């Protein structure tokens, strides 16, 4: 590669010589000390990939000399060192690679060329569901059901592992991808045959940002963008603003890392950090353990940032040492970071940032977030009032008929509004943090000693993000205390956090539905969007693991745990939360004794081996995948049908009809749900028609290898509201072609328009596509015939995914919206001025009476590379033509 700055130099560590691209080569021309840590990583990436074409000397100089307070609208390339996948989003990635192998052969190319060009590591963590709980057998029973449900998918992944180069799969029931990443996969500094550079990654899950906590730059991308990275395509991005958060002080007694991250999510959402980097600095970092930093970084998507990164320092090395990394690698991390000016110390000079916020750790108070958004923080003292306000707001639309008498598992009780029916210690956000897990165990021990139990209507679960969690809880003697309260280990996977909470016991579920009860879930996850945790649970609160246990004991969110008794002890006396809450000193003493490097080393020694079920999957190695037309899990997608070497170019959009008019904060869960498949919906009917029984439907997330199901599930969330069908919740619309037709599933409406050759549009409000990095939210949109989405604003990943699937993202301008323009979805839309490089176009919306509403829309195809993708019909088609031409 070309290098204009003669930056390649050597570094000796422990007697071994390494090569690296030194930022000091730019020091004579630029003041690099003022650059944020994250910019130094971007700069090194440009320096190392300079080729005079995709990355030029001018790009390097622009970034090195950037004024963070007045950034130019300049795009730069970024090439991650590796890609990580989880199985829900990873399976469609591998499906696409398999489909590309078939397609390239049809174009006269070599199928063997379709391989990842960088390390790709997939962790199977999204498939296990909590069908069984509250017993020592639950873990094995859930794993057994998981393998029965997902045999086709797992066989396909084993084929990928055999057929594809540079591809590894961490087997099911091992852990959660982001926790496995920080505890095992992350290098911090990459050693590529003696060439050192910062570890960085793209991940097909929005919480890839968790690795930012140990100084690794990475973020979530859609599967589409991940596939591009796998195949050597740099990702184009505008030079990002960097919001600095100056951290001071120390957490007070009783405050946890969960309370801290919920406060940060609220703070940064108010500031507005979408499409921005967030970087933490300041003297308070010395008081934040790496596990606390990881918790903060994990929820980057919840506060809206591209990343939430911490620099490399002694605490980073402490964490690498604790998690069993070799001392030789740790020495390389330190030496490299110091040589590149990436090493942080408490007296280090502050970098320059676009803006700086202040966070005093001493002000953090016990908090939850809910009942519908992670940024809606509520103090523990205010949860009761928060619940009651949300309950009252629901009564007009769905008045409660409660309480209900329930008989279940030999007990009869009254199930009331506000009842906590799910209490889940779940998610890498918190199960990666020993202090809050040990804290939960100590609280359970104290509660057990006083005779407290979880309420019988609560579905309790403990789903750690890695097996080492169980090991250190056992070493601390806390497993039995948690099990006494029903918190048995049910799985090593995402479970409740992603909606895999499994069914409620039938009498409880029936009582909720029959009596329209507003019940609650309390979980230690990172998301609580409407309809995500469980379709029948309307109030969802994020909380620390100790508070999850506390609410299982209380059994309700209609309680103030700071002033009301949590329950009665065995002696009949009232017990309060303060009576069972462990002190910081108790937690730290237990952590120091139980959490050791030896446990991590032993847990990850054979991480790729898998159990007997995984090892028992037999596959035949082949260059192309033998598609089974009868499979309901894996099918060859239609993206490349009829494709030639000539790209279609930018096509006009005229005579388009509206498929949906949606409101604010439409998440990728709304657009492409991951959870339960309804029997009476289009996807459920498809499965029934193909001989799949209701008990074997599995989830939408597990079916992402089959486009036929995912198309039918697009916009199928039970809570989505389409203004074209007022008063009706769920994925429905009306077919409008002159007169408006009846309310019917969105899929059915879209198929009628496709049959007529009518293009479609979607209108939406603010923060469209917030949430998970779900590529199917864009793939399904495209397959339903949608050519453009016009919103007030987009979340970063979904906008990029739409472009990657050939769907045009547009924003209303000047504060306009569908409502202010009087658009109701009955119009016909024509788009004027859609040409390459256009920053704005004109939309003509013709109403049924012949009148026309004309307005401007901002084009959100942000870079020249994205225009290339769009002109080819999508990034997959672009890459395939590139490979076939070589």
């Amino acid at each position: 590669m070309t290098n204009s700055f003669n930056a390649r130099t050597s570094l000796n560590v422990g007697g071994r010589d390494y090569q690296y691209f030194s930022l000091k080569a730019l020091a004579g021309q630029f003041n690099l000390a003022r650059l944020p840590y994250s910019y130094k990583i971007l700069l090194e990436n440009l320096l190392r990939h300079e080729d005079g074409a995709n990355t030029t000397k001018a790009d390097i100089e622009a970034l090195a000399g950037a004024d963070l307070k007045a950034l130019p609208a300049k795009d730069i390339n970024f090439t991650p060192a590796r890609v990580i996948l989880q199985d829900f989003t990873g399976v469609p990635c591998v499906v696409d690679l398999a489909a590309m192998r078939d397609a390239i052969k049809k174009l006269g190319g070599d199928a063997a060329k379709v391989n990842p060009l960088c390390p790709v590591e997939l962790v199977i963590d999204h498939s296990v569901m909590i069908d069984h709980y509250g017993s020592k057998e639950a873990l094995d029973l859930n794993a057994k059901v998981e393998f029965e449900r997902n045999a086709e998918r797992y066989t396909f992944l084993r084929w990928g592992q055999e057929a594809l180069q540079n591809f590894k799969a961490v087997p099911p029931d091992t852990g959660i991808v982001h926790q496995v990443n920080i505890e095992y996969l992350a290098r911090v500094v990459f050693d590529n045959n003696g060439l050192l550079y910062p570890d960085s990654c793209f991940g097909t899950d929005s919480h890839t940002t968790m690795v930012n906590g140990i100084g690794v730059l990475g973020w979530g991308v859609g599967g589409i963008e991940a596939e591009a990275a796998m195949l050597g395509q740099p990702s184009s991005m505008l030079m990002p603003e960097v919001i600095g958060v100056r951290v001071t002080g120390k957490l007070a007694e009783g405050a946890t890392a969960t309370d801290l991250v919920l406060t940060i999510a609220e703070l940064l959402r108010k500031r507005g950090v979408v499409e921005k980097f967030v970087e933490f600095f300041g003297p308070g970092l010395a008081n934040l353990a790496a596990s606390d930093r990881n918790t903060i970084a994990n929820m980057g998507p919840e506060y809206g940032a591209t990343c939430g990164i911490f620099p490399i320092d002694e605490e980073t090395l402490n964490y690498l040492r604790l998690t069993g990394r070799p001392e030789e690698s740790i020495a390389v991390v330190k030496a490299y970071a110091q040589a590149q000016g990436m090493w942080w110390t408490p007296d280090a000079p502050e970098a320059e940032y676009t803006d700086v916020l202040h966070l005093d750790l001493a002000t953090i108070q016990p908090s939850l977030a809910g009942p519908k958004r992670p940024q809606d923080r509520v103090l523990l003292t205010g949860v009761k009032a928060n619940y009651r306000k949300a309950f009252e707001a629901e009564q007009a639309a769905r008045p409660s008929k409660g309480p209900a008498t329930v008989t279940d598992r030999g007990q009869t009780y009254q199930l009331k509004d506000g009842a906590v029916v799910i209490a889940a210690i779940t998610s890498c956000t918190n199960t990666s943090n020993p202090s809050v897990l040990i804290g939960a165990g100590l609280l359970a021990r104290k509660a057990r000693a006083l005779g407290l139990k979880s309420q019988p209507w609560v579905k309790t679960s403990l789903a750690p993000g890695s097996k080492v969690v169980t090991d250190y809880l056992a070493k601390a003697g806390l497993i039995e205390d948690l099990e006494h309260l029903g918190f048995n280990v049910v799985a090593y996977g995402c479970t409740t956090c992603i909606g895999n909470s499994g069914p409620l016991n039938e009498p409880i579920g029936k009582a909720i539905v029959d009596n329209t009860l507003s019940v609650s879930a309390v979980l230690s996850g990172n998301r609580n969007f409407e309809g995500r945790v469980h379709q029948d649970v309307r109030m969802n609160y994020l909380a620390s693991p100790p508070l999850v246990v506390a609410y299982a004991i209380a059994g309700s969110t209609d309680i103030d745990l700071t002033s009301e008794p949590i329950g009665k002890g065995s002696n009949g006396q009232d017990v309060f939360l303060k009576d069972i809450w462990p002190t910081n000193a108790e937690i730290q003493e237990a952590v120091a004794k139980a959490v050791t490097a030896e446990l991590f080393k032993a847990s990850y020694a054979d991480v790729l081996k898998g159990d007997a079920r995984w090892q028992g999957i037999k596959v035949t190695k082949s260059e192309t995948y033998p598609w089974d037309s009868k499979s309901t899990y894996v099918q060859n997608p239609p993206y490349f049908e009829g494709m030639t070497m000539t790209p279609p170019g930018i096509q006009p959009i005229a005579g388009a009809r509206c498929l949906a008019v949606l409101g604010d904060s439409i998440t990728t869960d709304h657009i492409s749900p991951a959870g339960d498949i309804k029997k009476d919906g289009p996807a459920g009917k498809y499965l029934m028609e193909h001989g799949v029984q209701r008990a074997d439907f599995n989830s939408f997330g597990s079916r992402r290898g089959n486009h036929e199901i995912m198309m039918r599930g697009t916009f199928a969330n039970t809570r989505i509201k389409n203004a074209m069908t007022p008063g009706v919740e769920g994925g429905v619309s009306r077919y409008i072609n002159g007169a408006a037709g009846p309310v019917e599933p969105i899929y059915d409406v879209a198929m009628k328009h496709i049959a007529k050759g009518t293009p479609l549009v979607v209108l939406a409000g603010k923060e469209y596509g917030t949430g998970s990095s779900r590529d199917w939210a864009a793939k399904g949109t495209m397959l339903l015939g949608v050519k453009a989405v016009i919103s007030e604003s987009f979340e970063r990943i979904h906008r990029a995914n739409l472009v990657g699937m050939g769907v045009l993202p547009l924003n209303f301008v000047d504060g306009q919206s569908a409502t202010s323009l009087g658009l109701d979805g009955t119009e016909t839309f024509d788009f004027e001025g859609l040409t390459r490089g256009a920053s704005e176009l004109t939309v003509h919306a013709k109403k049924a009476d012949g009148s026309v509403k004309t307005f401007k829309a901002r084009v959100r195809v942000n870079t020249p590379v994205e225009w290339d993708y769009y002109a080819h019909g999508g990034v997959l088609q672009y890459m395939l033509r590139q490979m076939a031409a070589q």
Side-chain angles (χ1 to χ4, degrees):
M1 286 188 180
T2 304
N3 191 264
S4 303
F5 299 93
N6 297 314
R8 187 160 182 150
T9 188
S10 61
L11 177 69
N12 186 278
V13 185
R16 180 183 173 187
D17 286 328
Y18 298 89
Q19 295 287 302
Y20 74 107
F21 285 81
S22 175
L23 297 181
K24 291 179 181 177
L26 302 168
Q29 188 176 349
F30 302 99
N31 177 14
L32 301 184
R34 67 181 185 82
L35 290 181
Y37 170 76
S38 53
Y39 258 51
K40 292 177 182 177
I41 296 175
L42 295 177
L43 186 59
E44 188 280 338
N45 201 275
L46 291 178
L47 200 61
R48 181 162 37 93
H49 289 97
E50 183 192 356
D51 59 5
N54 291 316
T55 299
T56 66
K57 180 182 179 183
D59 295 331
I60 296 168
E61 291 175 335
L63 192 71
D67 179 355
L68 271 293
K69 295 187 182 297
L71 286 171
K74 177 175 176 54
D75 61 282
I76 57 170
N77 284 331
F78 180 71
T79 305
R82 57 193 175 93
V83 174
I84 60 168
L85 313 171
Q86 39 93 336
D87 56 302
F88 269 19
T89 49
V91 165
C93 284
V94 182
V95 166
D96 290 349
L97 291 175
M100 290 175 78
R101 284 194 162 195
D102 285 354
I104 199 170
K105 288 184 72 173
K106 292 178 181 178
L107 292 174
D110 180 5
K113 286 185 178 180
V114 182
N115 279 304
L117 299 179
C118 67
V120 176
E121 293 143 339
L122 182 148
V123 179
I124 302 173
D125 61 1
H126 269 52
S127 297
V128 65
M129 300 182 74
I130 307 176
D131 292 286
H132 302 273
Y133 71 100
S135 71
K136 292 182 181 294
E137 295 76 32
L139 176 64
D140 184 65
L141 290 172
N142 287 328
K144 181 175 183 292
V145 174
E146 174 193 2
F147 270 83
E148 289 171 353
R149 285 176 176 151
N150 296 284
E152 289 181 45
R153 297 171 65 243
Y154 292 173
T155 300
F156 175 68
L157 290 176
R158 287 297 302 266
W159 170 83
Q161 196 170 26
E162 294 291 329
L164 300 172
Q165 299 172 16
N166 258 341
F167 177 77
K168 294 179 181 177
V170 175
D173 308 311
T174 302
I176 299 174
V177 58
H178 311 303
Q179 193 159 337
V180 174
N181 194 18
I182 60 172
E183 292 178 355
Y184 178 72
L185 297 174
R187 286 76 158 172
V188 184
V189 171
F190 222 96
D191 177 1
N192 186 356
N193 296 317
L195 177 64
L196 302 180
Y197 46 88
D199 186 11
S200 58
C201 65
F202 281 174
T204 57
D205 188 285
S206 52
H207 295 100
T208 300
T209 53
M210 188 172 196
V211 78
N212 300 166
I214 52 174
V216 177
L217 184 60
W219 56 84
V221 297
I224 306 152
E225 192 172 353
E227 289 168 38
M230 288 181 210
L231 297 171
Q233 289 292 313
S235 179
S236 183
M237 60 189 288
L238 292 172
M239 287 170 54
E241 294 183 4
V242 184
I243 308 302
V245 179
R246 183 185 292 110
V247 183
T248 60
K250 184 178 182 179
L251 288 175
E253 183 69 38
T256 67
T258 315
D259 305 321
L260 173 58
V261 73
L262 295 179
T263 304
I264 290 172
E266 178 188 46
L267 172 73
L268 292 176
R269 272 291 173 183
K270 287 180 179 177
R271 165 56 179 81
V273 294
V274 172
E275 297 187 353
K276 298 174 175 60
F277 284 13
V278 169
E279 188 164 312
F280 297 89
F281 70 99
L285 295 194
N287 298 320
L288 278 179
S291 54
D292 295 342
R293 300 176 187 185
N294 294 334
T295 295
I296 294 168
N298 176 281
M299 286 188 70
E302 281 63 53
Y303 45 84
T306 303
C307 69
I309 198 161
F310 291 80
I312 300 171
D313 65 354
E314 283 292 348
E315 179 56 24
T316 313
L317 304 189
N318 291 340
Y319 184 79
L320 295 177
R321 197 166 284 116
L322 173 66
T323 49
R325 267 64 166 217
E327 283 297 330
E328 297 81 4
S329 299
I330 296 172
V332 167
V333 169
K334 183 173 184 177
Y336 179 85
Q338 289 178 331
Q340 291 282 52
M342 297 178 181
W343 180 257
W344 182 84
T345 59
D347 58 352
E350 292 185 0
E352 295 177 6
Y353 297 98
T354 307
D355 190 14
V356 174
L357 306 179
H358 178 220
L359 177 67
D360 182 357
L361 299 178
T363 64
I364 303 303
Q365 301 179 64
S367 303
L368 289 81
K372 294 183 180 180
R373 298 192 308 176
Q375 65 263 39
D376 293 337
R377 184 177 68 96
V378 54
L379 291 174
L380 179 59
T381 55
V383 170
K384 181 177 181 178
N386 176 276
Y387 158 73
R388 289 192 170 183
K389 181 179 179 181
F391 174 71
E392 289 301 326
E394 289 208 331
Q395 291 311 290
R398 50 184 310 278
S400 171
K401 303 172 188 174
T405 301
V406 174
T407 299
D408 180 41
R409 295 188 296 180
Q411 296 187 66
T412 300
Y413 48 79
Q414 292 289 295
L415 189 66
K416 302 178 181 179
D417 289 296
V420 174
V421 296
I422 292 174
I425 301 176
T426 179
S427 175
C428 51
T429 308
N430 284 291
T431 69
S432 62
N433 194 321
S435 64
V436 291
L437 266 293
I438 292 288
L442 290 173
L443 186 144
R445 172 177 290 176
K446 293 187 177 190
R448 180 186 184 190
L450 292 174
L452 297 177
K453 294 183 177 180
S454 296
Q455 297 301 324
W457 53 82
V458 186
K459 183 173 185 177
T460 47
S461 59
L462 169 59
S466 72
K467 291 184 176 180
V468 73
V469 175
T470 309
D471 295 338
Y472 69 64
L473 287 173
K475 187 174 180 180
L478 297 172
I479 285 286
E480 288 188 5
D481 298 307
L482 287 162
E483 290 178 344
H484 179 77
L485 294 178
F487 288 92
N488 298 77
V489 175
V490 295
Y492 295 100
C494 300
T495 61
T496 303
C497 187
I498 61 164
N500 284 3
S501 53
L504 298 173
N505 289 350
E506 194 274 335
I508 296 173
K510 187 174 188 302
I512 294 169
V513 174
D514 290 350
N515 294 276
T516 56
L517 297 177
S518 291
V519 296
S520 301
V522 180
L523 64 152
S524 63
N526 46 45
R527 290 207 171 127
N528 55 347
F529 298 135
E530 197 174 7
R532 179 183 175 93
V533 173
H534 191 283
Q535 62 188 14
D536 294 330
V537 179
R538 303 190 72 88
M539 312 286 185
N540 301 282
Y541 289 91
L542 306 181
S544 66
L547 283 178
V548 171
V549 177
Y551 274 100
I553 297 168
S556 177
T557 50
D558 192 16
I559 183 176
D560 182 354
L561 289 184
T562 65
S563 62
E564 299 177 48
I566 195 171
K568 288 190 179 294
S570 53
N571 61 1
Q573 296 295 310
D574 286 341
V575 177
F576 292 84
L577 180 61
K578 62 183 176 60
D579 300 326
I580 58 175
W581 193 269
T583 66
N584 289 359
E586 289 172 328
I587 293 171
Q588 293 312 312
E589 180 183 1
V591 168
K593 290 180 180 179
V595 186
T596 64
E598 288 68 32
L599 292 182
F600 283 91
K601 290 176 183 177
S603 182
Y604 283 105
D606 292 313
V607 69
L608 298 177
K609 185 177 180 181
D611 61 14
R613 295 183 181 100
W614 180 254
Q615 294 173 35
I617 297 174
K618 305 300 180 185
V619 294
T620 302
K621 188 173 182 178
S622 59
E623 189 175 78
T624 57
Y625 183 68
W627 305 99
D628 178 2
S629 61
K630 296 179 181 178
S631 173
T632 56
Y633 277 100
V634 178
Q635 284 296 329
N636 193 343
Y639 313 133
F640 310 112
E641 289 180 359
M643 179 178 159
T644 68
M645 287 296 291
T646 303
I650 298 171
Q651 299 295 308
I653 304 173
R657 286 287 185 177
C658 189
L659 184 62
V661 180
L662 306 172
D664 294 340
S665 299
I666 294 298
T667 72
T668 50
D669 282 305
H670 286 118
I671 304 168
S672 182
D676 190 51
I677 300 174
K678 290 280 190 182
K679 180 179 179 180
D680 57 355
K685 290 178 180 178
Y686 172 89
L687 288 170
M688 298 287 280
E689 290 166 1
H690 285 76
V692 180
Q693 299 302 308
R694 176 68 185 89
D696 299 320
F697 275 13
N698 212 331
S699 64
F700 276 114
S702 67
R703 298 276 182 181
R704 287 179 183 161
N706 185 342
H707 63 278
E708 295 286 359
I709 291 171
M710 298 310 296
M711 289 168 61
R712 289 163 172 81
T714 304
F715 297 110
N717 188 293
T718 56
R719 298 286 183 264
I720 198 169
K721 298 179 180 69
N722 183 357
M724 295 175 67
T725 59
V728 184
E729 278 191 353
V732 292
S733 187
R734 294 179 189 272
Y735 177 71
I736 297 175
N737 188 15
V743 174
E744 55 186 326
I746 276 185
Y747 171 79
D748 293 344
V749 173
M751 291 304 103
K752 290 179 180 179
H753 283 299
I754 287 175
K756 294 283 188 180
T758 305
L760 294 171
V761 299
V762 169
L763 307 180
K766 300 178 182 68
E767 297 179 344
Y768 184 76
T770 187
S772 302
S773 61
R774 198 159 295 169
D775 59 332
W776 263 110
K779 287 179 174 177
T781 298
M782 182 274 291
L783 290 175
L784 291 187
V786 175
K787 301 300 181 184
V789 176
I790 314 175
S791 72
E792 293 178 58
S793 65
F794 288 102
E795 202 78 350
R796 174 184 60 87
I797 298 173
H798 186 62
R799 183 209 62 79
N801 281 347
L802 288 173
V803 176
M805 290 310 298
V807 178
L808 182 67
L810 301 167
N811 283 151
F812 293 108
V813 299
D814 301 327
Q816 292 179 336
S817 65
T819 302
S820 72
L821 292 167
L823 305 176
D824 60 13
T826 61
E827 301 84 4
T828 302
F829 295 84
D830 294 323
F831 296 78
E832 179 186 342
L834 178 55
T835 58
R836 182 183 179 94
S839 60
E840 194 173 80
L841 51 72
T842 302
V843 184
H844 305 285
K846 185 178 181 181
K847 293 185 172 291
D849 62 6
S851 64
V852 177
K853 185 70 176 182
T854 297
F855 60 95
K856 298 289 187 181
R858 185 158 64 99
V859 180
R860 293 300 313 279
V861 182
N862 288 353
T863 66
V865 172
E866 286 191 341
W867 279 110
D868 288 339
Y869 296 162
Y870 185 70
H872 276 258
V875 65
L876 300 180
Q877 293 86 342
Y878 171 83
M879 290 188 298
L880 190 62
R881 290 188 178 99
Q882 299 294 308
M883 287 186 288
Q886 289 175 1

